Amino acid sequence: MKKKLVLVVAVILVAITACACLAGCVPNRPDKFAGAWLTSKHKAFVVGPMEFGIDGSKLQAKISDNLLVIFEEKGSDLNMYVKTGDTWTASSITVENAKNDENGQYYEKIKEVMNSDEAKETAEKLQEKFTELYEEKDGWWSLKADPTGLTGAMKVDGNEFKVKLAGVETTRMILNYKINIPSEAKAALK
């Protein structure tokens, strides 16, 4: 009986520890989330119908429901998969040649924006003064100078950071973002 009790307690402690570790993976305050997002290699930025994401060596740009582009860096090659409507096309060039290719330049520019050093510096400054400038109300953080939150408010909801302006959600930042390349896209590369 004692062994069973010890086993049950051990299992409960492991479960509690695992939950605490998982809860610590995604920060619950906007400034901390932004800092984690900026240094992450698995993230997305969503504005209206557009979604830009990075998942390690893959980058995705969803421009609309009818246009999706996925870039995949594989060794010295850059594979580009484009979905227009329901049709996939694909091509591959070297990473070196991508610098002179229009589509390859888009890849570099999106990657640069998603990993901006300037944005990291801004996030660091925001973290220093966050509690001085912002207050929380009903889960949303807004400027203390604007307690209504109408000029802007932010909220961390799971692995998403949401921003609303004038009471309307406009932007989302996502942590732990995954990009899956569909088999139809891979088949188009062959």
Side-chain angles (χ1 to χ4, degrees):
M1 185 65 157
K2 185 178 178 183
K3 287 182 182 180
K4 287 183 182 179
L5 181 61
V6 169
L7 183 61
V8 169
V9 169
V11 169
I12 291 171
L13 286 174
V14 169
I16 290 171
T17 304
C19 288
C21 289
L22 286 174
C25 290
V26 178
N28 61 358
R29 215 172 76 179
D31 61 322
K32 304 290 184 193
F33 188 102
W37 186 90
L38 286 164
T39 58
S40 176
K41 302 256 186 253
H42 309 277
K43 60 189 173 188
F45 186 74
V46 182
V47 180
M50 295 187 295
E51 183 173 312
F52 301 93
I54 289 181
D55 181 11
S57 63
K58 294 180 240 168
L59 188 144
Q60 178 172 293
K62 179 183 175 190
I63 308 306
S64 69
D65 289 338
N66 293 319
L67 181 58
L68 172 68
V69 181
I70 300 173
F71 296 95
E72 176 188 37
E73 230 178 284
K74 271 192 141 177
S76 62
D77 291 330
L78 179 65
N79 299 330
M80 294 177 281
Y81 307 93
V82 180
K83 182 180 180 189
T84 308
D86 292 329
T87 306
W88 282 98
T89 58
S91 61
S92 184
I93 59 175
T94 65
V95 172
E96 190 60 36
N97 288 342
K99 293 175 183 172
N100 299 321
D101 180 82
E102 186 177 356
N103 291 327
Q105 289 174 357
Y106 287 134
Y107 170 74
E108 289 298 325
K109 287 177 186 175
I110 294 169
K111 195 164 91 172
E112 185 179 308
V113 167
M114 296 286 283
N115 294 308
S116 165
D117 287 334
E118 194 174 311
K120 289 175 188 171
E121 290 172 16
T122 302
E124 287 171 4
K125 291 176 185 173
L126 176 63
Q127 283 180 343
E128 291 171 8
K129 296 187 177 207
F130 187 78
T131 53
E132 289 176 39
L133 300 172
Y134 293 88
E135 62 186 355
E136 183 182 15
K137 183 179 179 186
D138 300 327
W140 288 89
W141 291 82
S142 58
L143 283 168
K144 288 181 179 178
D146 177 25
T148 64
L150 288 177
T151 55
M154 356 180 210
K155 175 183 188 176
V156 175
D157 187 10
N159 68 334
E160 292 188 10
F161 173 94
K162 299 176 180 181
V163 176
K164 64 180 178 179
L165 299 171
V168 177
E169 280 188 39
T170 58
T171 309
R172 292 183 301 133
M173 294 164 65
I174 303 169
L175 268 174
N176 304 322
Y177 190 73
K178 298 289 179 216
I179 297 173
N180 296 312
I181 301 172
S183 57
E184 299 89 358
K186 290 180 181 181
L189 187 61
K190 295 177 181 178

